[in-house]
Amino acid sequence: MGSTEQPRPLLPGLAGIRFFAAIHVCLHHLAQMGYALAYEPNVDTPGVKQWGQDIWHLFSSNDVVLAILRGALIQVGMFFVMSGFILTYSHPIPASGRFPYRDYALARVARVYAMYLIGLLVTLPIFYFFVTLPEKPVAELSESVIH
């Protein structure tokens, strides 16, 4: 940030709300995964199925918790809108008062692309490991990881 740019005050309240929206969505996905593992007929690994049943029971045993988790779909939209607002708001504005759209777009693309490359470099070896293994060792590996 150069001397001609005006810093904006931080918005910790909005960042906090965005944090809770993200946690809400993560818990919703965890409950969905538990249900899928517990009741999907193609899941035949006993440890994985039991883990899914335990997770699903944790969330489904209380109707209030289940109703709150169903509201996570709204939180996804709220999270993205708030994220876009916070990212745009926090971008410095030059003293001229004109918003630098080109600089903002380049900064966003650079940040997203960098994280995409890191994620790709981390997941490719894992993907290769699981795809190249025969089917039986993968089932045994998943049981050993669960227990």
Side-chain angles (χ1 to χ4, degrees):
M1 188 182 302
S3 60
T4 61
E5 297 171 345
Q6 303 167 353
R8 295 239 180 134
L10 297 176
L11 303 171
L14 288 181
I17 293 171
R18 190 174 68 132
F19 169 77
F20 285 112
I23 293 296
H24 191 182
V25 172
C26 288
L27 290 174
H28 175 77
H29 285 301
L30 183 63
Q32 281 184 324
M33 183 179 62
Y35 180 83
L37 291 175
Y39 299 108
E40 176 65 38
N42 295 333
V43 177
D44 57 358
T45 307
V48 172
K49 188 172 272 306
Q50 182 60 47
W51 184 81
Q53 289 171 348
D54 293 344
I55 292 294
W56 177 244
H57 178 70
L58 176 71
F59 289 111
S60 65
S61 60
N62 187 324
D63 290 339
V64 174
V65 172
L66 203 53
I68 290 171
L69 285 176
R70 287 189 181 123
L73 299 175
I74 296 168
Q75 301 297 333
V76 171
M78 186 177 85
F79 176 81
F80 283 122
V81 168
M82 291 180 76
S83 294
F85 175 78
I86 291 170
L87 288 172
T88 305
Y89 177 82
S90 64
H91 195 77
I93 297 178
S96 67
R98 294 183 46 138
F99 188 81
Y101 291 105
R102 183 176 167 268
D103 294 343
Y104 173 77
L106 288 174
R108 292 298 109 217
V109 167
R111 186 171 182 172
V112 169
Y113 189 69
M115 291 309 295
Y116 170 77
L117 284 178
I118 290 170
L120 187 65
L121 291 174
V122 168
T123 56
L124 273 179
I126 297 168
F127 177 75
Y128 178 76
F129 175 74
F130 280 106
V131 167
T132 58
L133 283 177
E135 191 172 320
K136 183 133 173 90
V138 171
E140 292 170 2
L141 177 66
S142 66
E143 282 185 18
S144 68
V145 169
I146 297 295
H147 290 101

